[in-house]
Amino acid sequence: CIANASSNDISSMLIDSLDVILVCFGFEGDGRFGLLEDATKTLLSIVMKISEAQLRPLFSRLREWRGDIVKEIEGETKTSSIRRYAFWSMTAVLCRELRSLFLPCMSSVVGDIVEELNFSLRKLHEPKQRNKDGSKRRRVSRGIIEGSDLEDLRPLQPLLLALELALKADAHSGGEWIRANDSQRYQEILQPLCKLFLCRVPSSFPLNSENDGSKFSAYEKLVQGRSTLDHGNVHGCINALAAAAGNEQLWKPLNHAILNACSHDLRAEVRRAGINTLFSILQTLGEEYMILLPECLPVLSELLEDENEDVARVAKECVQFGEDLLGETLQL
């Protein structure tokens, strides 16, 4: 029906169609993920036949239906994780299909993205313990969240995918979207996104991945992007953020966060995530990023001797890549 409908027909049936789609998005029974996929395809068919002026209020309606994430964080009202998951999954599809045309809509949910990232950090970050003298120390182990708490975090992966796709579209268009408002948008997203390097991801964390996903840990899939390149991960987001940022001033705090991950002394998986992300950014940006290579050399020098073979290998690849670009041997 929608496939054969004209733009005028779509406009007349838009409200009723959206009501049906939202019922499907909010379905809580078995088979809900398949129903969500079908409803998203239907929504996309509608979106492709309406104007940009119609798209913005449509997206606002979807965001209103999803609920207010701020209230969930504050404990005032629990927003359904099913609705949040459906919203960000749908948003990722629209970002993929509409690219830069969808960036004005993404502007309206930047605050939601930051709140969602911070919400996930509260669940996944380990708290600090204090020594008897009152100083802080790391807590090496703690109880892992599970059950309904993990379901609350299911929306994180499609959110990361939506953000990555938006940033890629922005990079292709010159990066004006992420640098808006004197780069305030960039700064707001950068901090919570990079903090996810340090999260602890329970093995039962709900994630979508390729068929070989069982070979990797939940941390490797969510943060490092192993077997999740098409599903959303931290690694892909940060790489896209660097490409969209486009200048040394914005790269510096990002590079600092990556080097902090590379220097994590307790967890090889964090160092591995950091060094892999650094190498990916070097490959993506090439000579443009070489201006920050001197800041990286002390950390790379240490990682060449890392006890983890994968970390040491990628550090060596970073050094070799820099030498090939510069045409000279780096002094480590």
Side-chain angles (χ1 to χ4, degrees):
C1 178
I2 292 176
N4 297 322
S6 66
S7 296
N8 289 334
D9 292 335
I10 290 293
S11 296
S12 65
M13 59 191 292
L14 186 57
I15 295 177
D16 290 340
S17 298
L18 185 57
D19 286 340
V20 174
I21 289 171
L22 291 179
V23 170
C24 297
F25 278 0
F27 181 68
E28 299 184 14
D30 294 339
R32 69 182 178 96
F33 297 114
L35 186 59
L36 169 61
E37 183 177 354
D38 290 341
T40 301
K41 289 179 180 178
T42 301
L43 177 64
L44 179 61
S45 297
I46 292 174
V47 167
M48 300 303 288
K49 293 193 174 188
I50 63 176
S51 67
E52 185 177 348
Q54 291 173 303
L55 175 59
R56 294 190 187 185
L58 172 66
F59 188 68
S60 295
R61 170 81 188 282
L62 291 165
R63 189 239 176 254
E64 181 182 1
W65 168 85
R66 186 213 63 195
D68 196 338
I69 186 64
V70 174
K71 289 184 178 180
E72 180 168 3
I73 290 176
E74 294 174 351
E76 297 175 9
T77 303
K78 181 172 179 59
T79 302
S80 169
S81 63
I82 291 176
R83 289 193 174 197
R84 288 162 47 224
Y85 180 83
F87 176 81
W88 293 116
S89 297
M90 170 274 302
T91 300
V93 170
L94 295 182
C95 282
R96 188 187 299 278
E97 296 298 325
L98 300 180
R99 303 185 182 182
S100 60
L101 292 176
F102 194 63
L103 290 177
C105 289
M106 287 298 289
S107 297
S108 68
V109 294
V110 169
D112 297 336
I113 291 172
V114 174
E115 295 288 2
E116 193 82 63
L117 291 173
N118 283 322
F119 177 69
S120 298
L121 286 171
R122 291 185 183 207
K123 297 274 190 176
L124 297 176
H125 262 213
E126 291 187 340
K128 301 286 187 178
Q129 281 189 334
R130 291 186 177 275
N131 293 316
K132 292 181 179 180
D133 62 1
S135 61
K136 291 182 179 180
R137 64 180 173 88
R138 290 184 184 274
R139 183 175 180 176
V140 178
S141 64
R142 65 177 172 93
I144 295 179
I145 58 173
E146 53 188 33
S148 60
D149 281 343
L150 283 178
E151 280 301 313
D152 285 344
L153 297 179
R154 186 182 289 274
L156 176 60
Q157 190 181 27
L159 177 146
L160 290 171
L161 178 60
L163 179 58
E164 177 185 349
L165 293 170
L167 290 168
K168 284 182 175 179
D170 185 39
H172 186 73
S173 301
E176 293 183 4
W177 181 78
I178 196 60
R179 295 195 299 269
N181 300 323
D182 197 25
S183 300
Q184 180 180 349
R185 183 172 294 163
Y186 175 87
Q187 300 296 344
E188 289 177 348
I189 292 174
L190 174 66
Q191 184 176 17
L193 182 61
C194 288
K195 282 184 177 180
L196 285 171
F197 274 129
L198 306 180
C199 70
R200 288 191 179 271
V201 187
S203 59
S204 54
F205 193 100
L207 290 165
N208 295 319
S209 62
E210 279 79 50
N211 293 332
D212 62 347
S214 60
K215 298 190 301 184
F216 306 109
S217 70
Y219 180 91
E220 288 176 307
K221 287 186 280 189
L222 179 64
V223 180
Q224 297 180 25
R226 304 299 299 270
S227 194
T228 56
L229 293 180
D230 294 326
H231 300 282
N233 58 83
V234 176
H235 173 94
C237 253
I238 292 179
N239 193 53
L241 182 64
N247 67 62
E248 179 189 358
Q249 181 181 358
L250 297 182
W251 286 334
K252 274 184 173 291
L254 174 62
N255 193 60
H256 179 72
I258 294 172
L259 294 179
N260 279 344
C262 290
S263 303
H264 197 282
D265 56 349
L266 296 180
R267 295 166 58 198
E269 64 180 357
V270 177
R271 298 196 300 278
R272 190 161 54 243
I275 193 63
N276 280 327
T277 301
L278 177 60
F279 188 41
S280 179
I281 290 175
L282 288 173
Q283 291 176 306
T284 299
L285 299 178
E287 293 183 3
E288 293 181 76
Y289 206 74
M290 286 299 102
I291 194 168
L292 294 177
L293 189 59
E295 297 181 10
C296 302
L297 292 182
V299 174
L300 288 174
S301 179
E302 292 185 8
L303 294 184
L304 289 173
E305 306 297 328
D306 197 276
E307 60 186 17
N308 184 279
E309 293 182 0
D310 289 337
V311 172
R313 174 182 55 80
V314 180
K316 184 177 180 179
E317 291 176 351
C318 287
V319 172
Q320 185 63 57
F321 186 83
E323 290 179 339
D324 290 344
L325 279 181
L326 298 173
E328 61 184 61
T329 301
L330 298 175
Q331 300 299 316
L332 299 173

